Amino acid sequence: MAHNVFEESTLTLSAWITRGKGERATAKFEFEQEGGSEKIEAAELELGEKGEDGKKVSTVVTLPKCKDDEESYTFSYKVTCGDIPYPGADFRVWPRSAVVKAVDADGKTLKGVPLTFSQTGDEKIFRTDSKGECPIPLNGTAPCTVKVLSPCSLLEWTTEKGRAREAKVEKKEYKALLVQPSVEGNSESAPLKQYVNLAADPKNPKCGTLLKVVLGGQTDDECIEGIPGDIVHIKVEFDTDNSKRNDLKRGIVVAGSKTEPGDDGVATAQVPYDEKGAAEFEVELGYAGGDKAKISVGITEACEDGTLHVQNWRQLWYQLTVPAGTSAPKLDRMKAALAEVFVEYDQHGETVEIAEGDGPKGSWFDGAWVGDDGKKLLNIGDHNKGFFHKKFSNAKSPHMVHVLCCHTQFDTLGKGTTVGVKDLKLTHKSTVKWSDGKDVVGFAGEVGSGFFPKRIGDAGSSFLSGSWKSDDGKESGKLAEGDFHIVKSKVTFKLPADAVKYLGTDDKKNVLVTFNLFKAKGPYLGEADAKKGYLQLIVLRCAENVSNDVMAHELGHTMHQVPQSAAGKPPGLSGVRHGREYVANGHQGGHCADGMSKSNYAGGAGKAGTKYAKNFAGKKECTCIMYGENGAGSSCTGKFCARCKPFIQAQALDALT
């Protein structure tokens, strides 16, 4: 391996010579040299007295300079003694300095031409002086690369190597300047946010998928107009990790004509300065949240005058409506989850309060019914949500959500609101404690949630009908509302006087009781309306992380998650499998079972013969926000999983209707 040294260095070259029995009186240093401005002269040295052994011989050489057109030169040496050659070492000699001269196409010297000098990895910038020359000190023994920078461009190298180099250069007096958007504070780690789901707005250039870029000019001292007709070169590098969504297609738009990127994600184009000295173009960024683009412009093809980093975001707003006297929920956990899929979720306007008693009859109920003594609670369900959703201003339509908060959500319409008991057998010994503390003949039992002293929904009677008959069928009678008492999830009823009289104290007599009660459906934690998904209903009587997860879950549905078919997936992802999407199986609509094993998932049907078969409810390993259960005790992480993220990011979100 050759030793790297600088020109004009002084080297002491040595060799140990064993004289032995011969008459070897001298040692000769000889050189082989390729290049250099001069030849290194050979040197012959006396060895000393006969019989001396282990003699060290040395010579000192000063290395010649490199020729002006040489990048380096090489030499090696050997020592010859008594016709026996002793090999020395190999060297490569490098210049200590260089001079780059810049001239125009006619050979006239150019002052102020910027040059980038790179030798050992670090780049340094120099400018030519009044003679058009740029002295460059060389501090390393390695090849030297010089590039011409904007606002100049290289026409050709007259001499590209060596200490004296000359470049023919075309020089502009200014650089391309990014006027709009501003690049102040912009960097790869702090990119411009472009809200691609919002309609283009001349007053707010950060809206829309088309980013308008306006260019001017800039000298070393001031911003100027470009020279009409001069060309600005444009390069846009779309990040290789961008979404697979392919509609809208990304690219550079100049005068309505789009140039799409190649396989490397890079698109290039040119735009001239107009008669006013300005140049404009647009970048089509597409709909996908999180996509990145690096926009570079320049007077030269190197596009090194200005750089702008851009990242796609989506913006949504919400109106918060809460019962009076109830603290508005904090949405930090939800907003953090949305930020990870590049959605900003901002409250619009002040929180709207629902006054106590406001709403259709039966909307407010005594908190004692559910264990909140001394409070009035608001229930919103399918029977009255239309009234309360009218409080939604929708001022940011179609990008706004109504977060309608209530204390409980029980539905009271449709099937499943009647619960019946038939032929319940009682004797005179079937006694229960009545509300006044006395023992009466009757029945008491836990019947679950949804039963209240008055019907939630219209404040009517929860007792619908009831009757009794003797077991021989000869005696019968009716039950009345006053015969029933409901507290929380416990129902107590007493037999009417005629039934008690019939039973008497006869152990052999029985009565069969049949009755029907109203049962509200629920409780639920929230919903996104089936037809208008931007209308959300959220229950507040739960832990904050639960309410956040439910709100994020319902907004996920509003953002068209989890798509179950190719038709529901964004363009470019229609052939991509989510891998854990499912419908039904214990939940309603499309959901995500991320965390479930492939065998238990079984293509979305659940593993046959196991608790997973057509039943994905209560599965603790499923932790995504879009899993079908995110209530108290769930394993929800409060985040959209890696399977769901690409689909959420690829959704246009240009309208929530």
Side-chain angles (χ1 to χ4, degrees):
M1 180 180 293
H3 300 282
N4 289 301
V5 293
F6 281 117
E7 63 185 7
E8 298 184 310
S9 297
T10 299
L11 302 182
T12 299
L13 307 177
S14 302
W16 285 91
I17 303 298
T18 302
R19 182 169 177 174
K21 297 179 180 180
E23 295 294 328
R24 289 182 276 180
T26 61
K28 187 176 182 180
F29 283 81
E30 298 177 286
F31 300 93
E32 291 185 9
Q33 181 178 344
E34 292 186 12
S37 59
E38 299 175 1
K39 291 295 182 181
I40 304 173
E41 296 294 334
E44 189 168 357
L45 306 175
E46 295 291 334
L47 286 180
E49 296 296 328
K50 182 178 178 181
E52 219 172 80
D53 241 1
K55 177 69 176 180
K56 179 181 180 181
V57 291
S58 300
T59 188
V60 177
V61 297
T62 299
L63 301 179
K65 297 179 70 172
C66 297
K67 295 177 183 177
D68 284 350
D69 61 351
E70 283 182 332
E71 185 174 67
S72 63
Y73 70 87
T74 62
F75 82 93
S76 60
Y77 75 92
K78 64 182 178 180
V79 180
T80 303
C81 184
D83 297 327
I84 299 175
Y86 295 86
D90 297 322
F91 295 85
R92 180 171 290 276
V93 183
W94 299 87
R96 288 186 180 274
S97 64
V99 175
V100 179
K101 185 176 182 179
V103 298
D104 64 15
D106 297 325
K108 183 180 177 180
T109 58
L110 292 174
K111 176 186 176 182
V113 175
L115 306 168
T116 297
F117 158 63
S118 176
Q119 187 176 35
T120 57
D122 296 329
E123 289 192 347
K124 298 179 181 179
I125 298 177
F126 299 85
R127 291 181 183 272
T128 56
D129 59 21
S130 59
K131 297 178 181 180
E133 295 181 348
C134 179
I136 299 175
L138 302 179
N139 298 317
T141 52
C144 170
T145 301
V146 178
K147 294 181 181 178
V148 179
L149 301 180
S150 184
C152 300
S153 58
L154 177 69
L155 296 176
E156 65 172 324
W157 282 103
T158 306
T159 306
E160 189 174 2
K161 294 183 179 181
R163 69 170 64 256
R165 307 185 188 193
E166 183 177 278
K168 284 190 175 182
V169 172
E170 181 181 35
K171 182 182 180 184
K172 300 288 185 183
E173 296 301 327
Y174 62 94
K175 296 181 179 182
L177 173 68
L178 281 160
V179 176
Q180 176 189 313
S182 171
V183 296
E184 184 177 356
N186 184 269
S187 66
E188 187 174 2
S189 60
L192 170 76
K193 287 185 176 181
Q194 184 73 10
Y195 298 100
V196 295
N197 69 316
L198 304 181
D201 182 355
K203 295 181 180 179
N204 187 355
K206 291 185 178 182
C207 296
T209 64
L210 274 173
L211 174 66
K212 182 179 179 180
V213 181
V214 179
L215 303 171
Q218 184 176 31
T219 67
D220 290 342
D221 303 318
E222 63 180 340
C223 296
I224 64 170
E225 296 173 352
I227 298 175
D230 271 6
I231 296 296
V232 180
H233 298 269
I234 308 159
K235 179 173 66 174
V236 179
E237 300 167 82
F238 294 96
D239 198 282
T240 54
D241 290 331
N242 281 353
S243 171
K244 291 182 173 61
R245 180 173 182 132
N246 55 16
D247 180 32
L248 301 165
K249 292 186 177 180
R250 309 172 184 93
I252 303 172
V253 181
V254 178
S257 179
K258 183 189 291 184
T259 302
E260 295 178 9
D263 293 339
D264 59 355
V266 178
T268 59
Q270 297 176 355
V271 60
Y273 285 109
D274 61 19
E275 66 277 3
K276 295 181 180 179
E280 294 183 1
F281 65 94
E282 294 174 309
V283 180
E284 178 55 72
L285 299 167
Y287 281 121
D291 279 9
K292 295 179 180 179
K294 178 183 176 183
I295 303 170
S296 303
V297 298
I299 293 294
T300 71
E301 290 185 0
C303 295
E304 57 199 5
D305 292 356
T307 301
L308 178 69
H309 295 272
V310 185
Q311 187 166 40
N312 292 3
W313 279 73
R314 286 77 57 79
Q315 190 167 27
L316 302 177
W317 290 269
Y318 63 92
Q319 174 186 308
L320 198 58
T321 303
V322 302
T326 302
S327 297
K330 293 181 180 179
L331 305 186
D332 295 350
R333 178 176 166 105
M334 177 187 186
K335 289 183 178 182
L338 291 171
E340 289 189 357
V341 290
F342 303 94
V343 173
E344 280 188 6
Y345 199 44
D346 299 317
Q347 183 172 353
H348 180 74
E350 298 295 324
T351 300
V352 176
E353 289 196 344
I354 304 171
E356 185 176 315
D358 188 12
K361 189 176 182 180
S363 297
W364 295 80
F365 64 95
D366 190 340
W369 294 4
V370 291
D372 274 354
D373 295 355
K375 296 181 181 179
K376 286 291 185 181
L377 303 182
L378 174 64
N379 179 78
I380 301 179
D382 53 4
H383 54 289
N384 63 352
K385 65 182 181 182
F387 173 88
F388 293 105
H389 275 311
K390 288 181 180 179
K391 298 181 182 293
F392 180 39
S393 72
N394 205 10
K396 290 288 187 178
S397 176
H399 303 103
M400 193 168 179
V401 176
H402 189 201
V403 180
L404 175 58
C405 302
C406 55
H407 297 115
T408 62
Q409 182 194 355
F410 286 95
D411 289 340
T412 66
L413 300 180
K415 297 179 180 179
T417 57
T418 300
V419 175
V421 174
K422 186 176 182 180
D423 293 342
L424 178 66
K425 183 183 291 187
L426 298 176
T427 70
H428 73 93
K429 294 181 179 179
S430 303
T431 59
V432 294
K433 192 74 69 178
W434 192 240
S435 57
D436 60 5
K438 296 180 180 179
D439 291 330
V440 297
V441 179
F443 169 82
E446 294 287 337
V447 287
S449 61
F451 292 93
F452 299 98
K454 292 292 183 180
R455 209 158 51 214
I456 275 193
D458 61 7
S461 175
S462 292
F463 172 77
L464 300 177
S465 63
S467 61
W468 67 273
K469 63 180 179 181
S470 61
D471 54 2
D472 60 8
K474 294 180 180 181
E475 301 284 340
S476 63
K478 297 291 185 179
L479 301 181
E481 179 182 358
D483 296 327
F484 283 80
H485 180 63
I486 301 175
V487 177
K488 297 179 184 176
S489 60
K490 186 175 182 179
V491 173
T492 306
F493 76 85
K494 63 179 179 177
L495 286 178
D498 54 354
V500 174
K501 181 178 179 181
Y502 166 75
L503 288 175
T505 58
D506 190 341
D507 292 342
K508 295 180 180 181
K509 287 185 176 182
N510 303 305
V511 295
L512 302 177
V513 177
T514 297
F515 60 87
N516 293 300
L517 299 177
F518 178 84
K519 180 185 184 301
K521 293 182 289 186
Y524 304 112
L525 293 176
E527 68 170 27
D529 187 82
K531 294 182 179 180
K532 299 179 179 179
Y534 58 93
L535 300 179
Q536 292 187 5
L537 188 59
I538 302 299
V539 173
L540 294 178
R541 291 181 73 251
C542 55
E544 190 170 276
N545 66 311
V546 173
S547 63
N548 269 246
D549 293 349
V550 172
M551 280 187 274
H553 178 97
E554 299 304 339
L555 185 60
H557 284 311
T558 304
M559 297 189 295
H560 315 297
Q561 303 303 307
V562 175
Q564 301 296 307
S565 65
K569 294 178 181 178
L573 280 79
S574 57
V576 179
R577 289 279 295 169
H578 175 289
R580 290 297 181 274
E581 67 269 25
Y582 71 94
V583 66
N585 287 7
H587 302 128
Q588 295 181 11
H591 288 102
C592 170
D594 181 61
M596 187 179 291
S597 69
K598 183 177 181 180
S599 61
N600 287 334
Y601 175 66
K607 187 175 182 180
T610 72
K611 63 181 181 179
Y612 289 87
K614 297 183 179 180
N615 181 17
F616 286 176
K619 302 302 185 279
K620 293 289 187 180
E621 69 268 35
C622 301
T623 59
C624 178
I625 281 176
M626 294 313 301
Y627 176 56
E629 297 174 28
N630 288 327
S634 77
S635 302
C636 183
T637 60
K639 297 178 181 293
F640 296 100
C641 72
R643 296 178 187 272
C644 286
K645 282 181 179 179
F647 293 91
I648 301 176
Q649 290 177 216
Q651 287 291 352
L653 302 188
D654 52 341
L656 298 180
T657 53

PDB file of all heavy atoms in Angstrom, residues 608-624:
ATOM      1  N   ALA A 608     -63.548 -22.219  14.012  1.00  0.00           N
ATOM      2  CA  ALA A 608     -64.666 -23.122  14.267  1.00  0.00           C
ATOM      3  C   ALA A 608     -64.401 -23.982  15.498  1.00  0.00           C
ATOM      4  O   ALA A 608     -63.277 -24.425  15.744  1.00  0.00           O
ATOM      5  CB  ALA A 608     -64.906 -24.011  13.049  1.00  0.00           C
ATOM      6  N   GLY A 609     -65.445 -24.195  16.281  1.00  0.00           N
ATOM      7  CA  GLY A 609     -65.345 -25.047  17.457  1.00  0.00           C
ATOM      8  C   GLY A 609     -64.714 -24.386  18.656  1.00  0.00           C
ATOM      9  O   GLY A 609     -64.434 -25.046  19.651  1.00  0.00           O
ATOM     10  N   THR A 610     -64.456 -23.062  18.581  1.00  0.00           N
ATOM     11  CA  THR A 610     -63.868 -22.338  19.710  1.00  0.00           C
ATOM     12  C   THR A 610     -64.767 -21.158  20.073  1.00  0.00           C
ATOM     13  O   THR A 610     -65.757 -20.865  19.394  1.00  0.00           O
ATOM     14  CB  THR A 610     -62.468 -21.797  19.374  1.00  0.00           C
ATOM     15  OG1 THR A 610     -62.590 -20.700  18.449  1.00  0.00           O
ATOM     16  CG2 THR A 610     -61.598 -22.884  18.732  1.00  0.00           C
ATOM     17  N   LYS A 611     -64.392 -20.455  21.136  1.00  0.00           N
ATOM     18  CA  LYS A 611     -65.161 -19.287  21.569  1.00  0.00           C
ATOM     19  C   LYS A 611     -65.065 -18.136  20.566  1.00  0.00           C
ATOM     20  O   LYS A 611     -65.775 -17.133  20.691  1.00  0.00           O
ATOM     21  CB  LYS A 611     -64.676 -18.806  22.930  1.00  0.00           C
ATOM     22  CG  LYS A 611     -63.227 -18.318  22.936  1.00  0.00           C
ATOM     23  CD  LYS A 611     -62.804 -17.871  24.316  1.00  0.00           C
ATOM     24  CE  LYS A 611     -61.357 -17.355  24.319  1.00  0.00           C
ATOM     25  NZ  LYS A 611     -60.937 -16.895  25.659  1.00  0.00           N
ATOM     26  N   TYR A 612     -64.198 -18.276  19.548  1.00  0.00           N
ATOM     27  CA  TYR A 612     -64.052 -17.242  18.528  1.00  0.00           C
ATOM     28  C   TYR A 612     -65.030 -17.414  17.375  1.00  0.00           C
ATOM     29  O   TYR A 612     -65.215 -16.488  16.585  1.00  0.00           O
ATOM     30  CB  TYR A 612     -62.623 -17.239  17.971  1.00  0.00           C
ATOM     31  CG  TYR A 612     -61.597 -16.727  18.954  1.00  0.00           C
ATOM     32  CD1 TYR A 612     -60.985 -17.583  19.867  1.00  0.00           C
ATOM     33  CD2 TYR A 612     -61.230 -15.390  18.985  1.00  0.00           C
ATOM     34  CE1 TYR A 612     -60.043 -17.114  20.772  1.00  0.00           C
ATOM     35  CE2 TYR A 612     -60.289 -14.906  19.882  1.00  0.00           C
ATOM     36  CZ  TYR A 612     -59.703 -15.772  20.777  1.00  0.00           C
ATOM     37  OH  TYR A 612     -58.779 -15.300  21.669  1.00  0.00           O
ATOM     38  N   ALA A 613     -65.642 -18.557  17.263  1.00  0.00           N
ATOM     39  CA  ALA A 613     -66.530 -18.815  16.137  1.00  0.00           C
ATOM     40  C   ALA A 613     -67.697 -17.828  16.148  1.00  0.00           C
ATOM     41  O   ALA A 613     -68.531 -17.845  17.052  1.00  0.00           O
ATOM     42  CB  ALA A 613     -67.037 -20.254  16.186  1.00  0.00           C
ATOM     43  N   LYS A 614     -67.727 -16.943  15.150  1.00  0.00           N
ATOM     44  CA  LYS A 614     -68.774 -15.926  14.997  1.00  0.00           C
ATOM     45  C   LYS A 614     -68.950 -15.072  16.247  1.00  0.00           C
ATOM     46  O   LYS A 614     -70.024 -14.546  16.500  1.00  0.00           O
ATOM     47  CB  LYS A 614     -70.105 -16.584  14.612  1.00  0.00           C
ATOM     48  CG  LYS A 614     -70.060 -17.299  13.273  1.00  0.00           C
ATOM     49  CD  LYS A 614     -71.419 -17.869  12.910  1.00  0.00           C
ATOM     50  CE  LYS A 614     -71.357 -18.557  11.551  1.00  0.00           C
ATOM     51  NZ  LYS A 614     -72.655 -19.133  11.148  1.00  0.00           N
ATOM     52  N   ASN A 615     -67.874 -14.945  17.022  1.00  0.00           N
ATOM     53  CA  ASN A 615     -67.965 -14.163  18.254  1.00  0.00           C
ATOM     54  C   ASN A 615     -66.601 -13.556  18.582  1.00  0.00           C
ATOM     55  O   ASN A 615     -65.729 -14.225  19.139  1.00  0.00           O
ATOM     56  CB  ASN A 615     -68.441 -15.032  19.419  1.00  0.00           C
ATOM     57  CG  ASN A 615     -68.555 -14.223  20.714  1.00  0.00           C
ATOM     58  OD1 ASN A 615     -68.584 -12.998  20.691  1.00  0.00           O
ATOM     59  ND2 ASN A 615     -68.614 -14.918  21.826  1.00  0.00           N
ATOM     60  N   PHE A 616     -66.433 -12.284  18.238  1.00  0.00           N
ATOM     61  CA  PHE A 616     -65.182 -11.579  18.531  1.00  0.00           C
ATOM     62  C   PHE A 616     -65.337 -10.640  19.723  1.00  0.00           C
ATOM     63  O   PHE A 616     -64.468  -9.814  19.990  1.00  0.00           O
ATOM     64  CB  PHE A 616     -64.713 -10.779  17.313  1.00  0.00           C
ATOM     65  CG  PHE A 616     -64.135 -11.631  16.209  1.00  0.00           C
ATOM     66  CD1 PHE A 616     -63.745 -11.059  15.010  1.00  0.00           C
ATOM     67  CD2 PHE A 616     -63.985 -13.003  16.349  1.00  0.00           C
ATOM     68  CE1 PHE A 616     -63.216 -11.818  13.992  1.00  0.00           C
ATOM     69  CE2 PHE A 616     -63.462 -13.782  15.339  1.00  0.00           C
ATOM     70  CZ  PHE A 616     -63.073 -13.192  14.150  1.00  0.00           C
ATOM     71  N   ALA A 617     -66.436 -10.744  20.436  1.00  0.00           N
ATOM     72  CA  ALA A 617     -66.672  -9.866  21.583  1.00  0.00           C
ATOM     73  C   ALA A 617     -65.786 -10.279  22.763  1.00  0.00           C
ATOM     74  O   ALA A 617     -65.484 -11.455  22.952  1.00  0.00           O
ATOM     75  CB  ALA A 617     -68.138  -9.921  21.992  1.00  0.00           C
ATOM     76  N   GLY A 618     -65.366  -9.278  23.538  1.00  0.00           N
ATOM     77  CA  GLY A 618     -64.639  -9.541  24.784  1.00  0.00           C
ATOM     78  C   GLY A 618     -63.260 -10.121  24.606  1.00  0.00           C
ATOM     79  O   GLY A 618     -62.768 -10.831  25.484  1.00  0.00           O
ATOM     80  N   LYS A 619     -62.589  -9.823  23.504  1.00  0.00           N
ATOM     81  CA  LYS A 619     -61.263 -10.399  23.235  1.00  0.00           C
ATOM     82  C   LYS A 619     -60.186  -9.392  23.646  1.00  0.00           C
ATOM     83  O   LYS A 619     -59.949  -8.383  22.975  1.00  0.00           O
ATOM     84  CB  LYS A 619     -61.137 -10.774  21.761  1.00  0.00           C
ATOM     85  CG  LYS A 619     -62.208 -11.768  21.290  1.00  0.00           C
ATOM     86  CD  LYS A 619     -62.168 -13.057  22.095  1.00  0.00           C
ATOM     87  CE  LYS A 619     -63.146 -14.102  21.575  1.00  0.00           C
ATOM     88  NZ  LYS A 619     -64.520 -13.874  22.038  1.00  0.00           N
ATOM     89  N   LYS A 620     -59.552  -9.659  24.772  1.00  0.00           N
ATOM     90  CA  LYS A 620     -58.615  -8.711  25.377  1.00  0.00           C
ATOM     91  C   LYS A 620     -57.379  -8.453  24.508  1.00  0.00           C
ATOM     92  O   LYS A 620     -56.720  -7.424  24.658  1.00  0.00           O
ATOM     93  CB  LYS A 620     -58.164  -9.236  26.749  1.00  0.00           C
ATOM     94  CG  LYS A 620     -59.265  -9.279  27.797  1.00  0.00           C
ATOM     95  CD  LYS A 620     -59.651  -7.890  28.245  1.00  0.00           C
ATOM     96  CE  LYS A 620     -60.628  -7.927  29.406  1.00  0.00           C
ATOM     97  NZ  LYS A 620     -61.011  -6.572  29.848  1.00  0.00           N
ATOM     98  N   GLU A 621     -57.036  -9.382  23.622  1.00  0.00           N
ATOM     99  CA  GLU A 621     -55.840  -9.183  22.810  1.00  0.00           C
ATOM    100  C   GLU A 621     -56.044  -8.127  21.726  1.00  0.00           C
ATOM    101  O   GLU A 621     -55.088  -7.677  21.101  1.00  0.00           O
ATOM    102  CB  GLU A 621     -55.383 -10.497  22.174  1.00  0.00           C
ATOM    103  CG  GLU A 621     -56.305 -11.064  21.095  1.00  0.00           C
ATOM    104  CD  GLU A 621     -57.342 -12.036  21.643  1.00  0.00           C
ATOM    105  OE1 GLU A 621     -57.817 -11.819  22.774  1.00  0.00           O
ATOM    106  OE2 GLU A 621     -57.663 -13.012  20.944  1.00  0.00           O
ATOM    107  N   CYS A 622     -57.278  -7.739  21.480  1.00  0.00           N
ATOM    108  CA  CYS A 622     -57.587  -6.733  20.457  1.00  0.00           C
ATOM    109  C   CYS A 622     -57.502  -5.344  21.085  1.00  0.00           C
ATOM    110  O   CYS A 622     -58.300  -5.015  21.961  1.00  0.00           O
ATOM    111  CB  CYS A 622     -58.969  -6.977  19.864  1.00  0.00           C
ATOM    112  SG  CYS A 622     -59.130  -8.606  19.094  1.00  0.00           S
ATOM    113  N   THR A 623     -56.554  -4.541  20.648  1.00  0.00           N
ATOM    114  CA  THR A 623     -56.235  -3.289  21.349  1.00  0.00           C
ATOM    115  C   THR A 623     -56.429  -2.034  20.509  1.00  0.00           C
ATOM    116  O   THR A 623     -56.227  -0.931  21.001  1.00  0.00           O
ATOM    117  CB  THR A 623     -54.777  -3.323  21.833  1.00  0.00           C
ATOM    118  OG1 THR A 623     -53.908  -3.492  20.699  1.00  0.00           O
ATOM    119  CG2 THR A 623     -54.541  -4.475  22.802  1.00  0.00           C
ATOM    120  N   CYS A 624     -56.801  -2.176  19.239  1.00  0.00           N
ATOM    121  CA  CYS A 624     -56.952  -1.022  18.351  1.00  0.00           C
ATOM    122  C   CYS A 624     -58.191  -0.213  18.716  1.00  0.00           C
ATOM    123  O   CYS A 624     -59.189  -0.758  19.203  1.00  0.00           O
ATOM    124  CB  CYS A 624     -57.049  -1.501  16.898  1.00  0.00           C
ATOM    125  SG  CYS A 624     -57.298  -0.180  15.693  1.00  0.00           S
TER     126      CYS A 624
END
